[in-house]
Amino acid sequence: MTRAEFRFVAKLVVVLATVTVVLLVVTRTAGRPYVVAGRSMEPTLQAGDRVIVDLRAFRERAPERGDVVLIRTEDGAELIKRVSGTNEDRHRPGEPERIWVVGDNPDASLDSRDIGPLLRNRIVGRVTLRYWPPSRAGPIE
C-alpha cells in the first residue's frame, strides 16, 4: 500500500467512525427510525413504511388527542397507535397519567380497547415523518 493509499484509508476510517458516532447519538437521544408492521394504522401508515420517531416530542408537552405515537407495551412490544384521549382533565395529584390509544384501522388493531390505557411513560415518542417509500414521504398527521 502506498503512502497516498494509506492516508486515504485512514481518512475514510475517521469519516466513517465520526458518522457512526453521530448516528448513534442522534438515534439514542433525538429520533430513531422505525419500520411499520401490520395493518393497524392503515390508511395513515402501511406495513413496510419507514418512519422517524421523535424521542423528545413529549419532554415539553403532554401527548394530545390525534398524536401518532410509538408505544412500548408491558411485554416489551413496540406498536404505533394514535392517541385517542388522556385523563389529564381528570388527573388528580398522585394519580399516574394514563393515555388511551387506538389504531386507525380498529378491526386490525391491538390497542387500549384490548390492553387498557397506558401509563404515559409507555410512550417512546411521536411519529413525525415517513421517509419510505419516497412516493408517500412526508409528515405524519
Side-chain angles (χ1 to χ4, degrees), residues 56-135:
R56 301 177 302 168
F58 302 120
R59 289 185 183 166
E60 300 293 322
R61 72 167 179 92
E64 298 171 355
R65 183 181 301 238
D67 285 339
V68 177
V69 296
L70 178 65
I71 64 167
R72 185 172 294 119
T73 63
E74 289 186 19
D75 64 2
E78 290 186 333
L79 308 169
I80 293 181
K81 302 296 169 195
R82 188 176 300 276
V83 174
S84 64
T86 71
N87 70 345
E88 189 174 54
D89 294 334
R90 298 170 282 146
H91 190 72
R92 289 178 246 169
E95 179 183 69
E97 183 181 358
R98 297 197 179 265
I99 309 292
W100 282 263
V101 295
V102 295
D104 285 359
N105 181 4
D107 293 337
S109 181
L110 174 71
D111 52 38
S112 287
R113 295 169 303 155
D114 306 298
I115 60 176
L118 305 168
L119 291 174
R120 181 174 170 178
N121 66 0
R122 292 283 175 194
I123 295 179
V124 176
R126 182 171 175 263
V127 180
T128 58
L129 177 74
R130 175 183 19 242
Y131 64 92
W132 192 266
S135 62

Side-chain angles (χ1 to χ4, degrees), residues 39-53:
R39 300 178 39 234
S40 73
M41 285 302 292
E42 289 179 351
T44 305
L45 297 170
Q46 298 176 6
D49 283 359
R50 286 166 168 62
V51 297
I52 297 294
V53 178

Side-chain angles (χ1 to χ4, degrees), residues 10-62:
K11 287 180 182 179
L12 183 61
V13 167
V14 168
V15 167
L16 290 175
T18 303
V19 167
T20 300
V21 168
V22 167
L23 285 174
L24 284 172
V25 168
V26 168
T27 59
R28 298 284 190 261
T29 61
R32 76 172 236 227
Y34 183 82
V35 179
V36 176
R39 300 178 39 234
S40 73
M41 285 302 292
E42 289 179 351
T44 305
L45 297 170
Q46 298 176 6
D49 283 359
R50 286 166 168 62
V51 297
I52 297 294
V53 178
D54 180 351
L55 303 175
R56 301 177 302 168
F58 302 120
R59 289 185 183 166
E60 300 293 322
R61 72 167 179 92

